Amino acid sequence: MIDGSASSGDIQAVSRVGQILGLFSVERPTTTVAEAAEQLGLNRSTTHRYFTSLVAAGLLERTQEPSRFAPGGLLMQLGAAALARRRVLDIAPPFLRRVSQSTHLTTVISLWGSSGPVVSRTEEDHTRAVLVTVRVGTQLTLRSAQAKVFLAFLPDQLRVERLLATLSESERDELVTQLDEVRRTGVATDHLADSGMNAVATGVFDEYGICATIAVVGTTRTLPLDGPYRHDLVTAAAQISERMGGAIPVAQSEQGTVA
């Protein structure tokens, strides 16, 4: 337990542990001391001491390749406990399937991770010749449609400001303008020019505020950003939010009534 008597060294140690654990993802399931030291800007001896302590605590474990480390049993236990509390993942699937069937697009639900949305479930429509999907476990960038919805409605706006500070000034100014529009409409869009992909996202709310985002993803041809799919998406978000005991913003609710 950290109280007012905690030293700055204790706080720094906790921060560094968080940074080390934040290095792991589906795309990077293991890492080494050398890789972590380079990523975090620490010297190797300091990083090695942290890794040794985390292994002893059960938060990390060595892989079959001794120099590489993976999340440990305690971390898996904590992750499972956190997911068990994410009731939205139990409620949402039928609504995601309904949207996927009505739009013939892949639907995605994401939860907020350490520094952005993490894709937690997808529902795919297999009637099209080309299937567009997103891998479960993918951490989305701050410029993704789902991240924009989270950033617009997260209650901890100081945290949002810290995340925005990691962007360049021009990127930050552009994103701030987009977030104002998301707060007004309840919907965010994203276009990946290099892949020709589009995404439209909106928020799901419980009694504490935004708890998830749902989105439809497709190509520029199958998912025009100004297309009719917003109605299906926002309606589903409202229905999930109702079952979560939350309420969606008024502007977003009004969009859901559009025929």
Side-chain angles (χ1 to χ4, degrees):
M1 178 177 176
I2 298 176
D3 56 26
S5 64
S7 69
S8 60
D10 294 333
I11 295 173
Q12 184 183 51
V14 172
S15 176
R16 284 180 175 173
V17 167
Q19 291 174 333
I20 290 171
L21 297 180
L23 294 175
F24 296 93
S25 66
V26 172
E27 290 77 19
R28 184 166 55 185
T30 67
T31 192
T32 67
V33 168
E35 291 170 349
E38 182 179 358
Q39 288 285 323
L40 300 178
L42 301 174
N43 64 59
R44 291 194 183 188
S45 60
T46 298
T47 308
H48 184 268
R49 289 197 299 272
Y50 274 102
F51 272 62
T52 301
S53 297
L54 290 172
V55 169
L59 291 171
L60 293 181
E61 62 185 23
R62 293 182 184 273
T63 66
Q64 291 182 343
E65 184 182 346
S67 65
R68 302 199 72 83
F69 296 81
L74 180 56
L75 201 58
M76 297 294 189
Q77 178 183 332
L78 294 173
L83 286 175
R85 294 196 301 270
R86 304 293 187 172
R87 188 164 56 95
V88 66
L89 295 180
D90 295 325
I91 293 175
F95 299 96
L96 297 178
R97 284 193 291 272
R98 194 176 306 162
V99 174
S100 182
Q101 290 165 1
S102 65
T103 63
H104 298 293
L105 296 166
T106 296
T107 56
V108 176
I109 184 168
S110 296
L111 304 180
W112 185 259
S114 60
S115 57
V118 177
V119 175
S120 302
R121 187 182 178 97
T122 63
E123 292 290 341
E124 300 167 347
D125 175 77
H126 295 274
T127 62
R128 295 186 186 273
V130 177
L131 175 66
V132 176
T133 191
V134 184
R135 185 169 54 185
V136 171
T138 299
Q139 179 159 327
L140 304 175
T141 70
L142 293 181
R143 299 182 64 82
S144 66
Q146 294 188 73
K148 292 173 188 175
V149 176
F150 271 116
L151 293 173
F153 293 106
L154 280 172
D156 187 355
Q157 286 297 302
L158 288 177
R159 185 180 185 185
V160 171
E161 290 177 7
R162 288 196 293 271
L163 289 171
L164 294 179
T166 64
L167 303 175
S168 68
E169 184 176 357
S170 60
E171 289 176 326
R172 185 168 60 252
D173 291 345
E174 180 184 1
L175 188 52
V176 167
T177 300
Q178 292 174 345
L179 295 183
D180 289 338
E181 180 68 9
V182 174
R183 294 185 186 98
R184 187 183 69 82
T185 65
V187 176
T189 62
D190 184 30
H191 170 62
L192 302 177
D194 57 342
S195 62
M197 304 283 292
N198 282 347
V200 178
T202 193
V204 173
F205 297 80
D206 61 15
E207 66 268 35
Y208 303 108
I210 188 166
C211 63
T213 54
I214 61 174
V216 287
V217 296
T219 65
T220 53
R221 183 182 64 82
T222 61
L223 178 57
L225 293 180
D226 57 352
Y229 306 117
R230 295 186 181 205
H231 175 268
D232 293 332
L233 189 67
V234 173
T235 298
Q239 293 169 335
I240 299 170
S241 297
E242 181 181 3
R243 284 156 180 77
M244 291 294 295
I248 61 176
V250 173
Q252 187 172 342
S253 177
E254 290 174 350
Q255 283 214 17
T257 63
V258 177

